[in-house]
Amino acid sequence: MFTLTAAALGLALNAAASTPVAPLDFKQVQPGVWKATVGTPEDLTLLGAAGVQPAREALATLPAAPFPFRDGDSVGRHDSGRVALRFPLARDEEIYGLGVDFTSMRRTGLTYQLHVDHWGGRAGRTHAPVPFYVSTKGYGVFIDTSRYITVSIGLGVRLSSAEKPPVIDRTTQSKSWAALPRADSVEALVPAPGVDVYVFAGPTMTDAVRRYNLFCGGGALPPKWGLGFMTRTPTAYTAAQVLDEIAAFRSRGIPLDMIGLEPGWHDHAYPTSFQWDPTRFPDPSGFLSRLSVLHVRANLWFNPYVSPTASLYRALLPFAGSHLVWNGIVPDYSMAGARGIFQRHLRERVLGSASAALGGFKIDEVDGIDAWLWPDLAEFPSGHDGEQMRQTYGLFLQRLVLEMYRGLNQRTLGQVRGTNGGASSFPFVIYNDNYDFDEYITAVGNTGFAGVLWSPEVRGGAGEDMLRRIQAVCFSPLALFNGWATDTKLWTHAEVAGDIRDAIQLRMRLLPYWYTAFAQYHYQGTPVVRPMPLVEGFAPPAGEDPNAITDVTEVKDQYLVGDVLLVAPIRPGAKSRRVVLPAGRWFDFYTGRLAGEHETIEVAPPLSRIPLFVRDGGIVPMIGERQFAPARDEVVPLEVRHYGTRPGEAMLYDDDGETFDYERGNHTWTRLSVQRDAAGQLKGSVTPDSNGQRWRYSEVRWTEMTR
Amino acid sequence: MFTLTAAALGLALNAAASTPVAPLDFKQVQPGVWKATVGTPEDLTLLGAAGVQPAREALATLPAAPFPFRDGDSVGRHDSGRVALRFPLARDEEIYGLGVDFTSMRRTGLTYQLHVDHWGGRAGRTHAPVPFYVSTKGYGVFIDTSRYITVSIGLGVRLSSAEKPPVIDRTTQSKSWAALPRADSVEALVPAPGVDVYVFAGPTMTDAVRRYNLFCGGGALPPKWGLGFMTRTPTAYTAAQVLDEIAAFRSRGIPLDMIGLEPGWHDHAYPTSFQWDPTRFPDPSGFLSRLSVLHVRANLWFNPYVSPTASLYRALLPFAGSHLVWNGIVPDYSMAGARGIFQRHLRERVLGSASAALGGFKIDEVDGIDAWLWPDLAEFPSGHDGEQMRQTYGLFLQRLVLEMYRGLNQRTLGQVRGTNGGASSFPFVIYNDNYDFDEYITAVGNTGFAGVLWSPEVRGGAGEDMLRRIQAVCFSPLALFNGWATDTKLWTHAEVAGDIRDAIQLRMRLLPYWYTAFAQYHYQGTPVVRPMPLVEGFAPPAGEDPNAITDVTEVKDQYLVGDVLLVAPIRPGAKSRRVVLPAGRWFDFYTGRLAGEHETIEVAPPLSRIPLFVRDGGIVPMIGERQFAPARDEVVPLEVRHYGTRPGEAMLYDDDGETFDYERGNHTWTRLSVQRDAAGQLKGSVTPDSNGQRWRYSEVRWTEMTR
């Protein structure tokens, strides 16, 4: 009846400027990974900045899965400066991912502009705006660009859409009227002349995440000490004060593996000199040697804006961008030459001969805010502009530091405040200055969709507040007390000091479990922290009103660590909380008692305990209390707990804990299994790795937690 | 010593993609108005969308002023998709403008992305992101683009800057360290292949604003009734209920000139049909005729998204954009054909034969939020994309409605929720759903820099709250009670009903003053509402500690209306407030008593009064209490108040109040002056306009307010 113009057909031809809309031409580039190119991609992409090398062998072991879209369902067009993309979205499909967000997990019904930034801004502005999303239909999509892209998920109904929402008069039918009619697509605008797009097959959502992480080289594997405990010291602390701080931990039996030095280790900071301050640190190598003896690694703060007073300044000036940050130059680390200069300086002038005691760096303020950093119109010698550098600066710095440590065959674990897609293999944990407990926990979970790691923050605060936050941070990728900002110490509040120590000791005791979870991340791509939508069986129990579990697509205050441990942090001030248990039976971690089966329970644990639950048949490998993580090749006794009534099986990972030798086969996967014997009794057994490599556990004690 | 690369020099050459940085080549296009073109501007610009015709004769009457920048101080470069601009900024210079913001007036030290949107988002997202700024050095800059531009004001120090801020170690000198080092420039990134830039000379900041407004055709001149009082009715009201509402106003002596009908006047809304609902409005022309008899104009709500059920749909479908909004098509009103179809429909099918009773429209939801409107990647038949249409949609609709009314030789006053640069001549007042009193008042003041009009909102609320809001809205461009959202009426709270009536009557009594203020806006470009930084003598009194007046660059809770009236609204709940009086002596509007002279005073007025102050020598023309504004050519008696002890002079504007005949010379400027006679007594006199046109005041009564 009516005549539709070309434009009305959707992503249609604008003959003057744009190519016609056309199906994306996907070609398989790895098992279950397809790539399509639209237009002419720019030279600087996220995967390129991160320098990713796909883990080909691991990718090949994932289950086969077909390309998830029907022919012609994913389309694109482009002109000289913009690419428009469209992917299908079914009515019953939910989308997760698109980076670390602090308020929600589900993305359907939202519009995001992905932009590296401080937290708290508009949707999509985050420390990690990873342009990767996964679908409950079991696939993932990654858009590989260093530009700010805008993504609308199930929003923006097209005139040409075959199945449009109903037209309803709001005046007379306000209850059935929808403010946000659901669209049948995910659409993305990339302000670039071209872009590469990747699709990752499932069959499950977790498989799609795995493929993404493996395509990025596999997840990070920190050193063993990186999974222990860390504190930071006030910015103007001297070497002597830092050593006193360590002594204070040791004398109280509080574990400590890493100690962070804030800007005061530099002789000039903001802008930064990257030179040890001769007043506060008159003998850096002596200081670092002392740390080695104490089994504590230093972590050094920097932001990357180089002071005119720095010896580095002269060498980096030819690589400087057009704009300063805090009066320091912004080196163009998209250029290998600049990276090399900085790497050499770090290795020779900062680490020096005592490199083993310098565990890593805290890379600050590579995220935002706009008013702090260079403008988008800034120019860099490589020809890249401010927008591109903003999206990739954190990637380049992580890569640079990791490569330097790799050259020393020494693993690192650091912190970074801005990252992006392609970062899965970087051993850096994101952080910020926020202090909202719920938002922190949401972010911890969200990282599981994004190939990054996030750790909440604990500063000062009252006793209960500090305890609840310590309990939570000990169930995040980096167990850190950010002690630089206040005078409060972990032992300041006597009424909770014992519980705080216990919470940290529980972290230490679970190190074999954590280390294996990271090994799964590295070798199999499986996230360390698993948000609930990735957990099998996480859906309303059959026959139960879905509304009884509020909205299972948006449970953001609990998550799994590894395969079997469900963590449900208690917000400071709360006496109890709701926990949604996925399918199967779940057991209390502390007592082994049945907690529930595929249901929502209310728990009111004592102050000393963070709620933890283990799957039926779950196996949890643990060690004894420690003051620091097992040293390189240190051999310790193992306790293996079994929960529930079903048989269980788990693979326990091990290696030397400090070097990259695991990449050359020097690692073990040991099978721990609990089977029912002829008498009906559960019985544990250990099956060593057949590769002949050693593992570092002297004895195995089995504990049947559920009786 | 060190070698600077080209990029390090600032907006430097990226040989691969960008032109070299070059001085902007400004050429005078009107007296005191210069234009420079960088690259190849796109066809759709703000001035083009608004269809502005500069007021050449008025521009020629402004004082001569030189081009404000030194040669080479404003520069630009461009590539195929981006333009970078840089303008100088002195250390002691403050910048205002860049559209309507709700939290601050001063822009120095901020980064803005100008983007038509709902309020409450990031800096620069606003209902009116006008890319025009003015400087305390007495000039203005306008960037004429339909793209989202990013502007950094005094932020982003360049490596090549001649005068860089000092380099300071934060660890040891934290007090003198600056988180935001001040840059010597304003920089803007325009994501387009080219752009036109305009510079407006002073010599004063107000002169620069005047030139901008006159360049845009001069400010809007509403009909007289548009300056009276307006209410809105609940969405499902019938014609009979609307007439009852008017009767309720009349019976209580509350003035009423305009009554707003919400979506329920359409037979389908969200998406919108633009057809009178036959149930609620069975006889539209009879209804409108009845309004005419009552001296009340209807104002009709619409949002522009056309329902498939509308008779208009078929005609507009060929002009539809690729995406729907609330399931309605989005006509491409950048195309004259689409505008013509809609104009014809409004004129023939909505206004019909009773056009005089239909005063205007409320153009809703052309601002945002992103999730409601089309995505930036949307395509329109004209070839314009979603971003361009987002920035201009409100302009096109205002223009379309204004042109339709102009064709009837009938003035209009409407409301609009999204507008932009070039809008000065549009008789539309911006509004939103916010309800923060302080933010509203800040916005009223900010409009004075932006060539737009803003009105705070009054809904329900408790008695005092409602009274204080009514008092404030009666000193804004549109005196509106937004009565559609609640059951509360202006007379619901008996304890304040009399004061509310009095506040509205004061608005009516001041109509000659308001009308002249709008005539100054139209003929001279001077804003109706004048934010304090535009007020001469608004600086710390000589010898007084500037800090005593907090920060005079950021007094955002008071403003002038017209030449002599200082308005200082009282926030609901406040018993008193601070008022900063500019240079000279100021007198209480109500009593004529001296209030202070170039100082900060604390005032604690009774509930019945909004604080108002008049300049020494100030002349305020008033009329008697009214139920509606003077009708076309109606003649009324005039009271002229004189305040203070100095002689005074004011020009009083008049015309027929309803048609566009004033554009053909049918208007008068009458001189009212108060001089001291030989005996030292003040004496008023009237000097009629020499153009022989009539004015509509039957007698003049002089009142000496200060004794």
Side-chain angles (χ1 to χ4, degrees):
Chain A
M1 284 252 294
F2 301 153
T3 309
L4 286 171
T5 63
L9 287 168
L11 297 167
L13 174 62
N14 168 5
S18 168
T19 60
V21 62
L24 299 184
D25 184 20
F26 280 103
K27 295 198 160 48
Q28 190 156 235
V29 291
Q30 293 288 332
V33 183
W34 293 264
K35 173 181 174 181
T37 299
V38 183
T40 308
E42 295 176 297
D43 72 317
L44 180 55
T45 69
L46 299 179
L47 298 182
V52 307
Q53 300 292 337
R56 294 167 192 279
E57 289 178 27
L59 279 165
T61 66
L62 286 175
F67 185 73
F69 303 139
R70 282 178 311 188
D71 271 357
D73 267 7
S74 59
V75 298
R77 63 178 165 84
H78 67 95
D79 61 24
S80 62
R82 291 174 175 82
V83 176
L85 302 168
R86 189 169 82 228
F87 306 96
L89 180 74
R91 199 158 292 274
D92 60 346
E93 187 172 1
E94 298 287 354
I95 297 295
Y96 296 91
L98 295 175
V100 175
D101 183 283
F102 294 87
T103 56
S104 69
M105 307 192 82
R106 188 180 44 210
R107 300 287 167 262
T108 327
L110 296 173
T111 287
Y112 265 46
Q113 192 186 42
L114 299 177
H115 188 139
V116 173
D117 202 357
H118 202 52
W119 102 103
R122 290 184 74 84
R125 288 216 177 207
T126 150
H127 309 273
V130 181
F132 173 64
Y133 70 81
V134 287
S135 158
T136 50
K137 297 288 183 191
Y139 66 87
V141 174
F142 180 72
I143 301 171
D144 189 21
T145 176
S146 59
R147 297 285 172 192
Y148 307 142
I149 68 173
T150 306
V151 189
S152 298
I153 310 101
L155 281 179
V157 175
R158 295 176 329 286
L159 180 56
S160 62
S161 174
E163 222 187 314
K164 287 195 275 290
V167 176
I168 292 167
D169 177 44
R170 188 186 185 187
T171 306
T172 54
Q173 296 161 268
S174 62
K175 289 213 171 102
S176 53
W177 183 85
L180 297 173
R182 167 117 175 177
D184 61 2
S185 60
V186 174
E187 292 192 291
L189 178 64
V190 184
V195 71
D196 290 327
V197 182
Y198 295 85
V199 167
F200 299 88
T204 69
M205 196 151 50
T206 300
D207 289 324
V209 172
R210 282 188 185 112
R211 282 188 215 269
Y212 166 75
N213 286 330
L214 292 174
F215 192 75
C216 296
L221 182 61
K224 285 186 181 174
W225 53 259
L227 301 181
F229 195 73
M230 179 176 186
T231 192
R232 295 199 158 273
T233 54
T235 193
Y237 257 32
T238 63
Q241 288 173 304
V242 173
L243 293 169
D244 285 349
E245 187 81 2
I246 295 170
F249 272 75
R250 291 283 184 260
S251 71
R252 288 171 175 83
I254 305 176
L256 189 68
D257 290 277
M258 299 160 272
I259 194 152
L261 309 188
E262 289 289 304
W265 76 267
H266 300 264
D267 64 9
H268 198 289
Y270 285 51
T272 312
S273 68
F274 303 95
Q275 292 159 185
W276 288 95
D277 182 73
T279 311
R280 293 181 288 272
F281 294 88
D283 174 17
S285 63
F287 168 72
L288 293 173
S289 301
R290 183 78 198 124
L291 291 192
S292 281
V293 171
L294 296 169
H295 291 277
V296 173
R297 265 79 181 176
N299 174 293
L300 301 186
W301 174 97
F302 70 75
N303 70 30
Y305 312 115
V306 182
S307 174
T309 67
S311 61
L312 257 177
Y313 186 78
R314 185 180 194 131
L316 286 173
L317 191 59
F319 297 94
S322 55
H323 287 69
L324 305 177
V325 173
W326 291 304
N327 302 316
I329 56 169
V330 183
D332 186 342
Y333 288 130
S334 73
M335 301 176 80
R339 292 201 298 273
I341 290 168
F342 189 41
Q343 285 171 324
R344 198 155 52 243
H345 178 89
L346 289 178
R347 192 173 62 241
E348 295 174 3
R349 304 285 296 273
V350 178
L351 275 68
S353 58
S355 71
L358 220 164
F361 294 90
K362 172 185 176 184
I363 304 172
D364 207 10
E365 290 143 348
V366 291
D367 53 332
I369 55 179
D370 291 354
W372 287 353
L373 302 193
W374 59 90
D376 291 343
L377 56 68
E379 287 192 291
F380 288 82
S382 58
H384 301 134
D385 64 28
E387 175 183 357
Q388 293 176 295
M389 294 301 282
R390 178 76 169 268
Q391 293 292 73
T392 57
Y393 214 64
L395 291 178
F396 280 119
L397 280 155
Q398 292 175 82
R399 173 181 173 182
L400 175 168
V401 168
L402 177 59
E403 281 177 358
M404 185 203 65
Y405 275 105
R406 188 180 288 276
L408 299 168
N409 193 26
Q410 179 182 328
R411 271 185 262 175
T412 180
L413 182 71
Q415 292 184 274
V416 70
R417 207 170 141 134
T419 187
N420 212 323
S424 308
S425 70
F426 293 153
F428 285 85
V429 183
I430 321 168
Y431 64 99
N432 73 12
D433 292 341
N434 187 10
Y435 211 56
D436 184 292
F437 188 87
D438 295 341
E439 292 189 2
Y440 273 157
I441 302 305
T442 301
V444 170
N446 261 323
T447 58
F449 299 116
V452 295
L453 305 168
W454 169 268
S455 160
E457 174 146 323
V458 194
R459 294 176 206 146
E464 186 212 346
D465 182 81
M466 184 183 269
L467 173 60
R468 288 307 193 191
R469 289 176 186 273
I470 284 284
Q471 287 171 341
V473 84
C474 284
F475 282 92
S476 84
L478 179 62
L480 164 67
F481 174 60
N482 202 1
W484 74 268
T486 74
D487 291 336
T488 311
K489 306 290 184 189
L490 287 177
W491 46 89
T492 296
H493 302 295
E495 75 279 14
V496 292
D499 287 338
I500 285 175
R501 183 196 158 283
D502 289 350
I504 299 170
Q505 283 292 2
L506 180 56
R507 167 80 177 202
M508 304 306 284
R509 296 198 62 200
L510 284 166
L511 280 179
Y513 184 81
W514 274 103
Y515 202 50
T516 296
F518 270 97
Q520 292 176 310
Y521 186 37
H522 176 70
Y523 291 95
Q524 295 147 22
T526 316
V528 176
V529 170
R530 309 189 188 158
M532 298 313 294
L534 289 187
V535 177
E536 207 183 338
F538 186 67
E544 184 170 320
D545 177 3
N547 296 319
I549 306 187
T550 318
D551 178 354
V552 290
T553 64
E554 191 60 21
V555 173
K556 56 190 183 184
D557 57 356
Q558 61 180 63
Y559 52 82
L560 256 67
V561 168
D563 287 336
V564 301
L565 194 58
L566 175 61
V567 182
I570 295 259
R571 178 190 306 127
K575 301 288 173 237
S576 66
R577 62 158 291 164
R578 182 195 76 160
V579 181
V580 184
L581 299 174
R585 301 206 299 166
W586 292 80
F587 297 83
D588 182 272
F589 169 81
Y590 304 94
T591 65
R593 281 199 285 268
L594 179 67
E597 178 176 0
H598 204 190
E599 64 188 304
T600 299
I601 60 173
E602 189 75 15
V603 297
L607 201 53
S608 60
R609 289 184 180 174
I610 178 175
L612 299 171
F613 306 92
V614 185
R615 264 188 209 289
D616 195 0
I619 287 176
V620 181
M622 298 174 69
I623 56 176
E625 293 202 350
R626 305 272 315 175
Q627 294 309 300
F628 48 86
R632 179 168 177 176
D633 290 334
E634 181 179 348
V635 175
V636 295
L638 189 71
E639 175 193 356
V640 180
R641 293 188 176 181
H642 174 262
Y643 287 84
T645 55
R646 297 179 55 188
E649 188 173 289
M651 299 301 291
L652 175 65
Y653 178 76
D654 197 34
D655 62 22
D656 69 20
E658 289 193 11
T659 76
F660 287 92
D661 291 352
Y662 65 89
E663 294 181 345
R664 291 172 283 278
N666 294 336
H667 65 262
T668 57
W669 286 101
T670 302
R671 185 181 309 273
L672 306 173
S673 61
V674 173
Q675 300 293 336
R676 211 172 286 278
D677 66 13
Q681 290 297 303
L682 291 168
K683 192 165 163 18
S685 64
V686 176
T687 313
D689 197 320
S690 61
N691 71 353
Q693 297 290 328
R694 59 183 291 218
W695 76 326
R696 294 156 187 84
Y697 296 103
S698 56
E699 57 186 275
V700 179
R701 181 163 59 88
W702 294 88
T703 306
E704 199 57 58
M705 291 296 294
T706 305
R707 304 249 163 220
Chain B
M1 284 256 295
F2 299 157
T3 309
L4 287 171
T5 63
L9 289 167
L11 295 167
L13 174 64
N14 168 5
S18 166
T19 60
V21 62
L24 300 184
D25 184 20
F26 279 104
K27 292 195 164 50
Q28 192 156 232
V29 292
Q30 292 289 331
V33 183
W34 293 264
K35 174 181 174 179
T37 299
V38 183
T40 307
E42 294 177 297
D43 73 316
L44 181 55
T45 69
L46 299 179
L47 299 182
V52 306
Q53 300 292 336
R56 294 165 193 279
E57 288 178 29
L59 280 165
T61 66
L62 285 175
F67 185 72
F69 302 139
R70 283 178 312 188
D71 271 359
D73 268 7
S74 59
V75 298
R77 63 179 164 85
H78 66 96
D79 62 22
S80 63
R82 291 175 175 81
V83 176
L85 302 168
R86 188 169 85 229
F87 306 96
L89 181 74
R91 201 158 288 278
D92 61 344
E93 187 172 0
E94 298 286 356
I95 297 294
Y96 296 91
L98 295 175
V100 175
D101 183 283
F102 294 87
T103 55
S104 69
M105 307 191 82
R106 189 180 43 212
R107 299 289 168 259
T108 327
L110 296 173
T111 287
Y112 264 48
Q113 192 186 45
L114 299 177
H115 189 138
V116 172
D117 202 356
H118 202 51
W119 101 105
R122 290 184 74 83
R125 289 217 177 207
T126 149
H127 309 272
V130 180
F132 173 64
Y133 70 82
V134 288
S135 158
T136 49
K137 298 288 184 192
Y139 66 86
V141 173
F142 180 73
I143 301 170
D144 189 22
T145 176
S146 59
R147 296 285 171 191
Y148 306 142
I149 67 173
T150 306
V151 189
S152 298
I153 310 101
L155 281 179
V157 175
R158 296 178 326 287
L159 180 57
S160 63
S161 174
E163 224 187 312
K164 288 196 273 290
V167 175
I168 292 167
D169 176 45
R170 189 186 184 186
T171 305
T172 54
Q173 297 161 266
S174 63
K175 288 212 172 103
S176 54
W177 183 86
L180 298 173
R182 166 117 175 179
D184 61 1
S185 59
V186 174
E187 293 192 290
L189 178 64
V190 184
V195 70
D196 291 325
V197 183
Y198 295 85
V199 167
F200 298 87
T204 68
M205 197 151 51
T206 301
D207 289 326
V209 172
R210 283 187 186 113
R211 282 186 217 268
Y212 166 76
N213 286 330
L214 292 174
F215 192 75
C216 295
L221 182 60
K224 284 185 181 175
W225 53 258
L227 302 180
F229 195 73
M230 181 175 184
T231 193
R232 295 201 158 272
T233 54
T235 195
Y237 258 32
T238 63
Q241 287 173 302
V242 172
L243 293 170
D244 285 349
E245 187 80 0
I246 296 170
F249 270 74
R250 292 282 184 258
S251 72
R252 287 170 175 84
I254 305 176
L256 189 67
D257 289 277
M258 298 161 273
I259 196 152
L261 309 187
E262 290 289 305
W265 77 266
H266 299 264
D267 64 10
H268 197 289
Y270 283 52
T272 313
S273 68
F274 302 94
Q275 292 158 185
W276 288 95
D277 182 74
T279 312
R280 293 181 290 270
F281 295 89
D283 174 17
S285 64
F287 167 71
L288 292 173
S289 301
R290 183 77 198 123
L291 292 192
S292 281
V293 171
L294 295 168
H295 292 276
V296 173
R297 266 81 181 175
N299 173 294
L300 300 187
W301 174 97
F302 70 76
N303 70 29
Y305 313 116
V306 181
S307 174
T309 67
S311 61
L312 258 176
Y313 186 78
R314 185 180 195 131
L316 286 173
L317 191 58
F319 297 95
S322 55
H323 288 68
L324 305 177
V325 173
W326 291 304
N327 303 318
I329 55 168
V330 184
D332 185 344
Y333 288 131
S334 73
M335 301 177 81
R339 293 201 298 273
I341 289 167
F342 190 41
Q343 285 171 323
R344 199 157 50 246
H345 178 88
L346 289 179
R347 193 173 62 239
E348 295 174 3
R349 305 285 296 272
V350 179
L351 274 68
S353 58
S355 72
L358 219 164
F361 295 90
K362 172 184 176 185
I363 303 171
D364 207 12
E365 291 145 348
V366 289
D367 52 335
I369 55 180
D370 290 354
W372 286 353
L373 301 193
W374 58 90
D376 291 344
L377 57 67
E379 286 193 290
F380 288 82
S382 58
H384 301 132
D385 64 28
E387 175 183 359
Q388 295 177 293
M389 294 300 282
R390 178 75 169 268
Q391 293 292 72
T392 56
Y393 213 64
L395 291 178
F396 280 119
L397 281 155
Q398 291 175 81
R399 174 182 174 181
L400 175 169
V401 169
L402 177 58
E403 281 177 357
M404 184 204 65
Y405 274 105
R406 189 181 287 279
L408 299 168
N409 194 26
Q410 180 183 329
R411 270 185 262 174
T412 179
L413 183 71
Q415 292 184 273
V416 71
R417 209 171 139 133
T419 185
N420 211 323
S424 309
S425 70
F426 292 154
F428 285 85
V429 182
I430 319 168
Y431 64 98
N432 74 12
D433 290 341
N434 186 12
Y435 211 56
D436 183 291
F437 188 86
D438 295 342
E439 292 190 1
Y440 273 157
I441 302 304
T442 301
V444 170
N446 261 324
T447 57
F449 299 116
V452 295
L453 305 169
W454 169 269
S455 162
E457 174 146 321
V458 194
R459 294 176 205 144
E464 186 212 346
D465 182 82
M466 185 183 268
L467 173 59
R468 288 308 194 190
R469 290 177 185 271
I470 284 283
Q471 287 171 341
V473 83
C474 284
F475 282 92
S476 84
L478 179 63
L480 163 68
F481 174 62
N482 202 1
W484 75 266
T486 74
D487 290 336
T488 311
K489 305 291 184 187
L490 288 177
W491 47 88
T492 297
H493 303 296
E495 75 280 14
V496 292
D499 287 339
I500 285 176
R501 183 195 157 284
D502 289 351
I504 300 170
Q505 281 293 1
L506 180 56
R507 166 81 175 200
M508 304 306 283
R509 296 198 61 201
L510 284 166
L511 281 179
Y513 184 81
W514 275 104
Y515 202 51
T516 296
F518 270 96
Q520 291 176 310
Y521 186 38
H522 176 70
Y523 291 96
Q524 294 146 22
T526 316
V528 174
V529 170
R530 307 186 189 160
M532 297 314 291
L534 290 186
V535 176
E536 207 184 336
F538 187 67
E544 184 170 319
D545 177 4
N547 297 318
I549 304 186
T550 320
D551 179 356
V552 291
T553 65
E554 191 60 21
V555 172
K556 56 190 183 183
D557 58 355
Q558 61 180 64
Y559 51 82
L560 257 66
V561 167
D563 288 333
V564 301
L565 196 59
L566 175 61
V567 182
I570 294 260
R571 177 191 307 127
K575 300 289 175 236
S576 67
R577 62 159 290 165
R578 182 195 75 159
V579 181
V580 184
L581 299 173
R585 303 207 296 168
W586 292 80
F587 296 83
D588 182 90
F589 169 81
Y590 303 94
T591 65
R593 281 197 287 268
L594 179 67
E597 177 176 0
H598 203 190
E599 64 188 304
T600 299
I601 61 173
E602 189 74 18
V603 297
L607 202 55
S608 60
R609 288 184 181 174
I610 178 174
L612 299 171
F613 305 93
V614 185
R615 264 189 209 288
D616 196 1
I619 287 175
V620 181
M622 298 175 68
I623 57 175
E625 293 200 349
R626 305 274 313 177
Q627 294 309 301
F628 47 86
R632 179 169 179 177
D633 290 334
E634 182 180 348
V635 176
V636 295
L638 189 71
E639 176 194 354
V640 181
R641 293 188 177 184
H642 173 261
Y643 287 84
T645 56
R646 298 177 57 188
E649 189 174 288
M651 300 300 290
L652 176 65
Y653 177 77
D654 197 35
D655 63 19
D656 70 18
E658 290 193 8
T659 76
F660 286 92
D661 291 353
Y662 66 89
E663 294 181 344
R664 291 171 283 277
N666 293 336
H667 63 265
T668 59
W669 286 98
T670 302
R671 184 182 308 273
L672 305 174
S673 61
V674 172
Q675 301 293 337
R676 210 170 286 280
D677 67 11
Q681 291 296 304
L682 290 167
K683 194 168 162 18
S685 64
V686 176
T687 311
D689 197 318
S690 62
N691 71 353
Q693 296 292 327
R694 59 183 293 217
W695 78 324
R696 293 154 189 85
Y697 296 102
S698 55
E699 59 185 273
V700 179
R701 181 162 60 88
W702 294 86
T703 305
E704 198 59 55
M705 290 296 294
T706 306
R707 301 262 165 209

